[in-house]
Amino acid sequence: MKKTTLRARFIPKLLLLLLPLVVFINLYHFKISHLLREQAASLGREFSSIYIREIDTALTDIRSWLIGLSEDTIHLKELSSSDPEIQCQQQRYYSRVLQEAVDRYPILDTAFIVSTEYPSPIIKSSRNVTFEEHQAFAEAAKNIALYRRPFNTKWIAMAIPNEKEYYFCTVIVLEDTVLGAVVKPQTLLTSLAFPKDSEKKFALAKHSGGVIMTNFKELYDHKIDLAGDLSNYYITGRHQSFIVSGSKSSVGPFRLMMIASSEEVQSSISWMKGVSLVFLALSIIMLGGVIISFRKDVLKPLANMDKVIEEIGQSKFDKHFVTQNEAQEFSSIYNIFNRMIDQIQTLRIENYKQLIHKQQTELRFYQTQIKPHFMLNCLTTIQNLAKQGKTDELSKFISNFSSFARYMFRTDFTLVSLRDELEQVKHFISMQELRYLDQIFFVSDIDNALIDYQIPAMLVQTLVENSIKHGMDEKTGISIFVQCKKVIKEGKAAVQISVEDNGCGFSPEVLAAINDFKGDQSVLGFGLQNVSTVLKLIYGDAAAIHLENVNGSGAGVIITLFS
């Protein structure tokens, strides 16, 4: 039978003492997390119930007004009168009535009346409605009047226009007239008095399919399911990290939900987790102390005794036992060997100190190697200019470098004005001209109305640096043209920033990677990847980047920022 030492038998048993503590802490955290989720869901249901009642009341008021308007059958029939003067008079009258209603009800975005005898609907919209939406509502009103189908509920969620966005709509179908009202979901949410910083946690959605009706980009980013059972809360989203609870509307097929991040909900017990971890750490330290004490008082003397006895058995009689406040039973056996053991202990301590000192020295050495590549290059340039005695160039370079470095290492900004960005581009080019003498030709054309327009910091500078890096010809130099102007693109107002050069242009792989989103993205290089990533993070779909080869040779980068 294989024999085991006291150390191998005793230490694992001591470590097992920690197992109940670890299990208890984890179960405790699980229970607290569950209670917090229950509390957050309860608050979500309570708030959603209150707000959905406010929404239902507001929609019911509009529906009641529409019903009252529909009861005025005498005037409504005159809209279909064969007398043009009477028909025109009633059209003016109902145009005023609809406008008054839009002004009276804050959430009413559009009201309309469609007569079968009048080709165009009478429609009025609030300031919250865009021109495109107004046109789409008018077209929808004509379609409703054409099919004349009543809705199954008082209010419905209708996709207008082209089924891209959903709106609340209610209609009343009469014999020869259709009356209706449209409310934008975002208008409803804006009208509610949400607690501070909580309005972004609420979303409106259809019952069927859980289609989101309000602007809540995180729902798509985190794959949150909005069609779950609202009789209780449920967990959804990527990594099951969101708590959803809410209430259904009594006037239409839609629901209001509060969506809370589990991370935010559990942030209130972060201190408790910290205390638990400290408690666990203290327990481990105490257990370590017990192990150290047992080793010192029992295992170590026995080990020393075993070792010395073995050495004595090998005729090494110069070995001695050590007396270090052991029990009297051990001290009486080997207290005559103090000197030699003291020397060994001293050597061990010195070796340990030398090891620590070596590790600290290596750490300081590696830390001193962390220097920015750009700073080293600039300092090298300053040194070379100083050695060559070019004081004017040195003074100019230091001035430009100081301004550029101060701008580059700012940490309190994300967006800067075009004025500041172009000023730093000029500093950068001035520094590059010391390397490429008379080979860089820079021209800018900036709309004066955009001089204070905010753009991501280092955006233009990165593109200019990219042109110099990849397009410079040491024989002919390089010309760089920066332009910023207002444009209308896809029917929307936008600001267009373009950087063109007369270098070698982009390869087909680079053009495909940006313009067609195909191919290996790594071919873009750090500069273009960084610009593309920054634009996506700040603007999302409201920014576009396009690459082209200018006149078949030079490179052109066009960035479009929509208002």
Side-chain angles (χ1 to χ4, degrees):
M1 180 182 293
K2 183 179 179 180
K3 296 182 179 180
T4 57
T5 63
L6 285 175
R7 187 197 310 268
R9 294 182 180 183
F10 185 73
I11 292 180
K13 295 176 181 178
L14 284 178
L15 293 176
L16 284 176
L17 295 176
L18 287 176
L19 183 61
L21 179 63
V22 173
V23 172
F24 170 77
I25 290 176
N26 283 301
L27 290 177
Y28 181 71
H29 285 166
F30 176 79
K31 182 64 176 178
I32 293 297
S33 299
H34 179 72
L35 291 176
L36 286 175
R37 285 197 297 268
E38 290 280 357
Q39 184 180 14
S42 177
L43 289 175
R45 286 193 298 270
E46 182 178 347
F47 278 117
S48 297
S49 177
I50 294 173
Y51 294 142
I52 201 66
R53 284 198 296 270
E54 292 183 18
I55 290 174
D56 288 348
T57 300
L59 294 178
T60 300
D61 289 344
I62 295 176
R63 173 82 178 179
S64 299
W65 163 77
L66 204 61
I67 292 174
L69 188 63
S70 68
E71 293 173 351
D72 186 9
T73 56
I74 296 177
H75 289 86
L76 289 173
K77 286 183 178 181
E78 290 180 350
L79 285 173
S80 303
S81 172
S82 59
D83 188 340
E85 183 176 351
I86 295 177
Q87 190 182 67
C88 184
Q89 181 180 357
Q90 292 305 318
Q91 290 169 359
R92 289 195 298 270
Y93 167 72
Y94 279 109
S95 181
R96 290 194 302 272
V97 170
L98 296 184
Q99 185 61 55
E100 291 173 358
V102 169
D103 295 337
R104 185 187 318 132
Y105 297 101
I107 69 166
L108 179 58
D109 289 306
T110 298
F112 62 84
I113 299 176
V114 186
S115 171
T116 57
E117 301 298 327
Y118 189 67
S120 299
I122 304 172
I123 181 169
K124 290 294 179 178
S125 297
S126 69
R127 295 180 179 178
N128 296 329
V129 178
T130 65
F131 177 76
E132 291 79 4
E133 289 175 327
H134 181 85
Q135 295 294 102
F137 295 159
E139 188 65 26
K142 289 191 288 186
N143 291 334
I144 292 173
L146 177 63
Y147 292 103
R148 302 178 59 78
R149 292 180 181 175
F151 295 162
N152 294 328
T153 57
K154 297 177 181 179
W155 288 84
I156 68 166
M158 179 179 292
I160 309 174
N162 299 326
E163 300 186 356
K164 290 183 178 180
E165 295 186 32
Y166 282 86
Y167 301 85
F168 296 115
C169 183
T170 184
V171 298
I172 296 177
V173 180
L174 302 179
E175 181 179 354
D176 54 1
T177 309
V178 175
L179 300 86
V182 179
V183 175
K184 298 171 65 174
Q186 199 61 41
T187 303
L188 280 178
L189 290 186
T190 304
S191 67
L192 300 176
F194 289 111
K196 184 178 180 182
D197 298 329
S198 67
E199 64 275 5
K200 294 183 179 180
K201 297 181 180 179
F202 288 86
L204 283 165
K206 291 179 61 180
H207 283 333
S208 59
V211 179
I212 182 65
M213 301 177 66
T214 49
N215 184 18
F216 205 147
K217 184 176 182 296
E218 288 82 357
L219 297 179
Y220 301 104
D221 293 342
H222 298 287
K223 298 182 179 180
I224 298 177
D225 176 24
L226 300 180
D229 183 11
L230 293 184
S231 61
N232 197 0
Y233 77 93
Y234 61 93
I235 308 297
T236 183
R238 187 181 286 112
H239 308 305
Q240 299 292 299
S241 56
F242 288 88
I243 304 169
V244 178
S245 59
S247 300
K248 297 180 180 180
S249 170
S250 61
V251 300
F254 56 91
R255 52 176 60 183
L256 177 67
M257 291 161 292
M258 189 184 84
I259 303 164
S261 168
S262 296
E263 183 179 349
E264 293 180 2
V265 170
Q266 297 184 22
S267 62
S268 59
I269 62 169
S270 58
W271 66 272
M272 189 177 300
K273 292 182 178 179
V275 171
S276 300
L277 292 175
V278 170
F279 181 69
L280 179 61
L282 290 176
S283 300
I284 294 174
I285 292 173
M286 292 176 63
L287 181 59
V290 172
I291 294 174
I292 292 173
S293 177
F294 180 78
R295 177 179 178 274
K296 176 182 177 183
D297 295 336
V298 179
L299 297 181
K300 189 175 180 180
L302 289 175
N304 288 338
M305 182 183 297
D306 181 70
K307 179 180 179 180
V308 173
I309 291 175
E310 182 181 354
E311 291 176 347
I312 291 175
Q314 297 174 0
S315 301
K316 296 180 180 179
F317 298 102
D318 56 340
K319 301 297 180 182
H320 304 279
F321 292 106
V322 178
T323 301
Q324 294 180 344
N325 297 323
E326 292 85 358
Q328 184 177 356
E329 292 81 358
F330 290 110
S331 298
S332 62
I333 297 174
Y334 56 73
N335 57 9
I336 61 175
F337 297 100
N338 291 338
R339 181 176 300 176
M340 184 187 69
I341 299 302
D342 288 341
Q343 292 175 349
I344 295 175
Q345 187 71 6
T346 301
L347 290 175
R348 291 177 62 194
I349 293 174
E350 289 298 326
N351 289 337
Y352 180 75
K353 289 182 178 180
Q354 291 176 6
L355 178 62
I356 295 297
H357 179 71
K358 179 182 178 182
Q359 292 175 341
Q360 292 176 344
T361 302
E362 290 178 352
L363 177 61
R364 286 193 294 268
F365 172 77
Y366 287 121
Q367 287 175 336
T368 58
Q369 307 308 304
I370 304 174
K371 298 294 182 182
H373 182 69
F374 173 79
M375 300 290 291
L376 288 176
N377 286 342
C378 290
L379 292 175
T380 301
T381 302
I382 292 174
Q383 182 184 27
N384 291 336
L385 291 174
K387 287 182 177 181
Q388 296 171 13
K390 298 180 179 180
T391 56
D392 292 341
E393 290 86 346
L394 177 61
S395 175
K396 181 180 178 181
F397 185 87
I398 292 176
S399 177
N400 287 317
F401 170 68
S402 175
S403 299
F404 185 76
R406 188 181 301 112
Y407 178 80
M408 185 174 63
F409 290 117
R410 287 169 60 184
T411 60
D412 58 342
F413 71 102
T414 300
L415 300 177
V416 298
S417 67
L418 265 172
R419 184 198 312 273
D420 291 343
E421 179 72 3
L422 290 175
E423 183 67 23
Q424 302 314 312
V425 169
K426 293 177 181 178
H427 289 309
F428 175 78
I429 289 178
S430 295
M431 289 188 289
Q432 294 299 314
E433 286 177 342
L434 291 174
R435 179 180 177 185
Y436 304 104
L437 294 176
D438 299 325
Q439 289 185 302
I440 300 178
F441 305 94
F442 176 76
V443 179
S444 62
D445 180 17
I446 309 302
D447 189 337
N448 289 331
L450 299 174
I451 197 66
D452 293 318
Y453 186 78
Q454 299 291 300
I455 64 170
M458 309 296 288
L459 179 67
V460 178
Q461 188 275 334
T462 300
L463 297 177
V464 171
E465 181 180 358
N466 205 58
S467 291
I468 296 175
K469 181 178 179 181
H470 299 287
M472 170 63 71
D473 188 322
E474 295 185 357
K475 295 181 179 180
T476 61
I478 189 170
S479 297
I480 302 175
F481 177 60
V482 175
Q483 186 180 46
C484 183
K485 62 182 180 180
K486 295 180 179 180
V487 296
I488 301 297
K489 191 170 184 180
E490 299 176 359
K492 300 178 182 179
V495 172
Q496 182 173 287
I497 302 172
S498 62
V499 177
E500 299 178 358
D501 61 55
N502 62 345
C504 58
F506 294 113
S507 67
E509 291 80 8
V510 172
L511 294 175
I514 282 289
N515 298 337
D516 301 329
F517 302 99
K518 298 178 180 178
D520 185 4
Q521 296 292 307
S522 63
V523 301
L524 297 179
F526 175 78
L528 289 176
Q529 282 186 357
N530 184 56
V531 169
S532 180
T533 302
V534 168
L535 291 175
K536 183 176 181 181
L537 289 175
I538 296 179
Y539 297 97
D541 295 334
I545 180 171
H546 177 76
L547 306 185
E548 63 182 12
N549 286 330
V550 183
N551 297 325
S553 58
V557 181
I558 301 174
I559 295 175
T560 305
L561 306 177
F562 293 96
S563 300

